[in-house]
Short mmCIF file of all heavy atoms in Angstrom, two decimals:
data_model
loop_
_atom_site.label_atom_id
_atom_site.label_comp_id
_atom_site.label_asym_id
_atom_site.label_seq_id
_atom_site.Cartn_x
_atom_site.Cartn_y
_atom_site.Cartn_z
N PRO A 1 42.86 91.36 -26.92
CA PRO A 1 43.03 92.32 -27.94
C PRO A 1 41.84 92.35 -28.90
O PRO A 1 41.69 93.35 -29.55
CB PRO A 1 44.27 91.82 -28.74
CG PRO A 1 44.28 90.34 -28.52
CD PRO A 1 43.75 90.16 -27.14
N TYR A 2 40.95 91.39 -28.79
CA TYR A 2 39.76 91.40 -29.67
C TYR A 2 38.58 91.06 -28.83
O TYR A 2 38.59 90.25 -27.87
CB TYR A 2 39.91 90.44 -30.84
CG TYR A 2 40.92 90.91 -31.87
CD1 TYR A 2 42.15 90.29 -31.90
CD2 TYR A 2 40.68 91.93 -32.71
CE1 TYR A 2 43.16 90.75 -32.81
CE2 TYR A 2 41.64 92.37 -33.67
CZ TYR A 2 42.89 91.75 -33.67
OH TYR A 2 43.85 92.19 -34.58
N ASN A 3 37.43 91.57 -29.26
CA ASN A 3 36.14 91.31 -28.65
C ASN A 3 35.51 90.10 -29.38
O ASN A 3 35.68 90.00 -30.59
CB ASN A 3 35.28 92.59 -28.85
CG ASN A 3 33.95 92.57 -28.16
OD1 ASN A 3 33.10 91.68 -28.47
ND2 ASN A 3 33.74 93.45 -27.21
N PRO A 4 34.89 89.19 -28.68
CA PRO A 4 34.29 88.01 -29.39
C PRO A 4 33.34 88.44 -30.51
O PRO A 4 33.20 87.62 -31.49
CB PRO A 4 33.60 87.25 -28.28
CG PRO A 4 33.47 88.10 -27.16
CD PRO A 4 34.61 89.10 -27.25
N THR A 5 32.73 89.58 -30.44
CA THR A 5 31.83 89.94 -31.56
C THR A 5 32.64 90.29 -32.81
O THR A 5 32.09 90.39 -33.93
CB THR A 5 30.97 91.20 -31.16
OG1 THR A 5 31.84 92.28 -30.89
CG2 THR A 5 30.15 90.88 -29.91
N GLU A 6 33.96 90.42 -32.69
CA GLU A 6 34.77 90.77 -33.89
C GLU A 6 35.24 89.52 -34.56
O GLU A 6 35.70 89.61 -35.73
CB GLU A 6 35.99 91.58 -33.35
CG GLU A 6 35.68 92.95 -32.82
CD GLU A 6 36.88 93.69 -32.34
OE1 GLU A 6 37.41 93.32 -31.20
OE2 GLU A 6 37.37 94.62 -33.03
N TYR A 7 35.27 88.39 -33.88
CA TYR A 7 35.79 87.20 -34.62
C TYR A 7 34.79 86.04 -34.64
O TYR A 7 35.09 84.94 -35.21
CB TYR A 7 37.10 86.68 -33.94
CG TYR A 7 37.08 86.53 -32.45
CD1 TYR A 7 36.66 85.21 -31.95
CD2 TYR A 7 37.61 87.39 -31.52
CE1 TYR A 7 36.63 85.00 -30.61
CE2 TYR A 7 37.59 87.15 -30.18
CZ TYR A 7 37.12 85.93 -29.72
OH TYR A 7 37.14 85.63 -28.32
N PHE A 8 33.66 86.18 -33.96
CA PHE A 8 32.60 85.22 -34.07
C PHE A 8 31.44 85.72 -34.98
O PHE A 8 31.00 86.85 -34.75
CB PHE A 8 31.94 84.91 -32.69
CG PHE A 8 32.57 83.74 -31.92
CD1 PHE A 8 33.26 83.96 -30.73
CD2 PHE A 8 32.48 82.51 -32.44
CE1 PHE A 8 33.75 82.96 -29.95
CE2 PHE A 8 33.07 81.38 -31.72
CZ PHE A 8 33.67 81.64 -30.51
N HIS A 9 30.96 84.95 -35.85
CA HIS A 9 29.71 85.27 -36.48
C HIS A 9 28.63 85.21 -35.43
O HIS A 9 28.64 84.35 -34.52
CB HIS A 9 29.38 84.17 -37.57
CG HIS A 9 28.17 84.54 -38.42
ND1 HIS A 9 26.92 84.29 -37.97
CD2 HIS A 9 28.01 84.96 -39.63
CE1 HIS A 9 26.05 84.63 -38.89
NE2 HIS A 9 26.71 85.05 -39.89
N GLU A 10 27.62 86.14 -35.47
CA GLU A 10 26.69 86.32 -34.30
C GLU A 10 25.96 84.96 -34.03
O GLU A 10 25.76 84.58 -32.88
CB GLU A 10 25.70 87.38 -34.51
CG GLU A 10 24.78 87.60 -33.40
CD GLU A 10 23.87 88.81 -33.44
OE1 GLU A 10 24.37 89.84 -34.01
OE2 GLU A 10 22.73 88.74 -32.96
N ALA A 11 25.57 84.22 -35.02
CA ALA A 11 24.90 82.96 -34.82
C ALA A 11 25.73 81.99 -34.01
O ALA A 11 25.27 81.35 -33.14
CB ALA A 11 24.43 82.40 -36.12
N PHE A 12 27.04 81.89 -34.32
CA PHE A 12 27.90 81.02 -33.64
C PHE A 12 28.20 81.54 -32.20
O PHE A 12 28.36 80.69 -31.28
CB PHE A 12 29.16 80.82 -34.48
CG PHE A 12 29.04 79.95 -35.59
CD1 PHE A 12 29.02 80.46 -36.91
CD2 PHE A 12 28.88 78.57 -35.49
CE1 PHE A 12 28.83 79.63 -38.00
CE2 PHE A 12 28.63 77.72 -36.58
CZ PHE A 12 28.69 78.27 -37.83
N LEU A 13 28.29 82.82 -32.06
CA LEU A 13 28.56 83.41 -30.73
C LEU A 13 27.38 83.11 -29.79
O LEU A 13 27.54 82.72 -28.66
CB LEU A 13 28.79 84.87 -30.87
CG LEU A 13 29.05 85.57 -29.49
CD1 LEU A 13 30.16 84.98 -28.66
CD2 LEU A 13 29.33 87.11 -29.70
N ARG A 14 26.19 83.21 -30.35
CA ARG A 14 25.03 82.90 -29.57
C ARG A 14 25.02 81.40 -29.17
O ARG A 14 24.71 81.06 -28.02
CB ARG A 14 23.73 83.23 -30.35
CG ARG A 14 23.37 84.68 -30.50
CD ARG A 14 22.15 84.94 -31.36
NE ARG A 14 21.79 86.30 -31.34
CZ ARG A 14 20.96 86.83 -30.50
NH1 ARG A 14 20.43 86.12 -29.56
NH2 ARG A 14 20.67 88.14 -30.51
N ARG A 15 25.34 80.52 -30.15
CA ARG A 15 25.41 79.08 -29.83
C ARG A 15 26.48 78.85 -28.81
O ARG A 15 26.29 77.98 -27.91
CB ARG A 15 25.67 78.35 -31.15
CG ARG A 15 25.56 76.86 -30.91
CD ARG A 15 25.67 76.07 -32.26
NE ARG A 15 25.57 74.68 -32.10
CZ ARG A 15 25.77 73.77 -33.01
NH1 ARG A 15 26.00 74.19 -34.27
NH2 ARG A 15 25.58 72.52 -32.75
N TYR A 16 27.66 79.54 -28.91
CA TYR A 16 28.71 79.29 -28.01
C TYR A 16 28.28 79.68 -26.56
O TYR A 16 28.62 78.99 -25.58
CB TYR A 16 29.90 80.14 -28.40
CG TYR A 16 31.14 79.89 -27.58
CD1 TYR A 16 31.81 78.67 -27.57
CD2 TYR A 16 31.61 80.90 -26.62
CE1 TYR A 16 32.92 78.40 -26.76
CE2 TYR A 16 32.75 80.64 -25.85
CZ TYR A 16 33.40 79.43 -25.94
OH TYR A 16 34.44 79.20 -25.09
N ILE A 17 27.57 80.80 -26.37
CA ILE A 17 27.13 81.22 -25.09
C ILE A 17 26.11 80.27 -24.43
O ILE A 17 26.12 79.91 -23.32
CB ILE A 17 26.55 82.63 -25.14
CG1 ILE A 17 27.67 83.63 -25.46
CG2 ILE A 17 25.89 83.01 -23.87
CD1 ILE A 17 27.23 85.09 -25.73
N ARG A 18 25.25 79.74 -25.33
CA ARG A 18 24.22 78.76 -24.95
C ARG A 18 24.88 77.40 -24.51
O ARG A 18 24.51 76.81 -23.52
CB ARG A 18 23.23 78.57 -26.04
CG ARG A 18 22.34 79.72 -26.33
CD ARG A 18 21.44 80.05 -25.20
NE ARG A 18 20.42 81.02 -25.47
CZ ARG A 18 19.99 81.94 -24.62
NH1 ARG A 18 20.42 81.88 -23.41
NH2 ARG A 18 19.08 82.83 -24.96
N ASP A 19 25.79 76.88 -25.30
CA ASP A 19 26.38 75.63 -25.05
C ASP A 19 27.79 75.54 -25.64
O ASP A 19 28.00 75.19 -26.79
CB ASP A 19 25.51 74.49 -25.68
CG ASP A 19 26.00 73.12 -25.30
OD1 ASP A 19 26.97 72.96 -24.61
OD2 ASP A 19 25.38 72.17 -25.89
N PRO A 20 28.76 75.96 -24.86
CA PRO A 20 30.14 76.01 -25.39
C PRO A 20 30.68 74.70 -25.99
O PRO A 20 31.31 74.73 -27.01
CB PRO A 20 31.01 76.42 -24.21
CG PRO A 20 30.07 77.16 -23.20
CD PRO A 20 28.73 76.50 -23.51
N GLN A 21 30.34 73.59 -25.34
CA GLN A 21 30.81 72.34 -25.88
C GLN A 21 30.13 71.90 -27.21
O GLN A 21 30.76 71.08 -27.93
CB GLN A 21 30.64 71.23 -24.80
CG GLN A 21 31.50 71.44 -23.61
CD GLN A 21 32.96 71.10 -23.83
OE1 GLN A 21 33.31 70.27 -24.64
NE2 GLN A 21 33.85 71.88 -23.17
N ALA A 22 28.97 72.43 -27.47
CA ALA A 22 28.35 72.20 -28.77
C ALA A 22 29.07 72.76 -29.84
O ALA A 22 28.94 72.27 -31.08
CB ALA A 22 26.86 72.59 -28.74
N LEU A 23 29.76 73.83 -29.62
CA LEU A 23 30.50 74.53 -30.77
C LEU A 23 31.95 74.14 -30.73
O LEU A 23 32.59 74.06 -31.84
CB LEU A 23 30.33 76.03 -30.55
CG LEU A 23 30.94 76.91 -31.63
CD1 LEU A 23 30.19 76.68 -32.89
CD2 LEU A 23 30.90 78.46 -31.24
N ARG A 24 32.59 73.93 -29.55
CA ARG A 24 34.02 73.71 -29.44
C ARG A 24 34.23 72.67 -28.33
O ARG A 24 34.35 73.08 -27.13
CB ARG A 24 34.73 74.99 -29.21
CG ARG A 24 36.29 74.92 -29.06
CD ARG A 24 36.87 76.22 -28.77
NE ARG A 24 36.78 77.17 -29.95
CZ ARG A 24 36.91 78.53 -29.85
NH1 ARG A 24 37.10 79.06 -28.73
NH2 ARG A 24 36.82 79.19 -30.95
N GLN A 25 34.29 71.33 -28.72
CA GLN A 25 34.44 70.43 -27.70
C GLN A 25 35.91 70.37 -27.21
O GLN A 25 36.92 70.35 -27.96
CB GLN A 25 34.11 69.02 -28.20
CG GLN A 25 32.59 68.83 -28.49
CD GLN A 25 32.17 67.47 -28.76
OE1 GLN A 25 33.09 66.56 -28.84
NE2 GLN A 25 30.93 67.22 -28.87
N TRP A 26 36.00 70.42 -25.84
CA TRP A 26 37.36 70.57 -25.18
C TRP A 26 37.18 70.06 -23.83
O TRP A 26 36.44 70.62 -23.05
CB TRP A 26 37.86 71.96 -25.32
CG TRP A 26 39.19 72.17 -24.75
CD1 TRP A 26 40.33 71.34 -24.81
CD2 TRP A 26 39.66 73.32 -23.96
NE1 TRP A 26 41.37 71.87 -24.16
CE2 TRP A 26 41.00 73.12 -23.62
CE3 TRP A 26 39.07 74.46 -23.52
CZ2 TRP A 26 41.79 73.96 -22.86
CZ3 TRP A 26 39.84 75.34 -22.74
CH2 TRP A 26 41.12 75.14 -22.44
#
């Protein structure tokens, strides 16, 4: 229902794409 650009600040979205575990360890 939502695009990641709608709920991620761009700096965090860039970081998530580069290294998902660095932003959200799971």
Side-chain angles (χ1 to χ4, degrees):
Y2 292 101
N3 186 298
T5 62
E6 296 177 286
Y7 55 83
F8 268 119
H9 186 285
E10 183 170 327
F12 285 105
L13 179 54
R14 286 176 174 272
R15 188 175 181 185
Y16 184 70
I17 291 170
R18 292 292 187 214
D19 185 2
Q21 291 291 324
L23 186 66
R24 180 181 291 161
Q25 290 192 357
W26 182 38

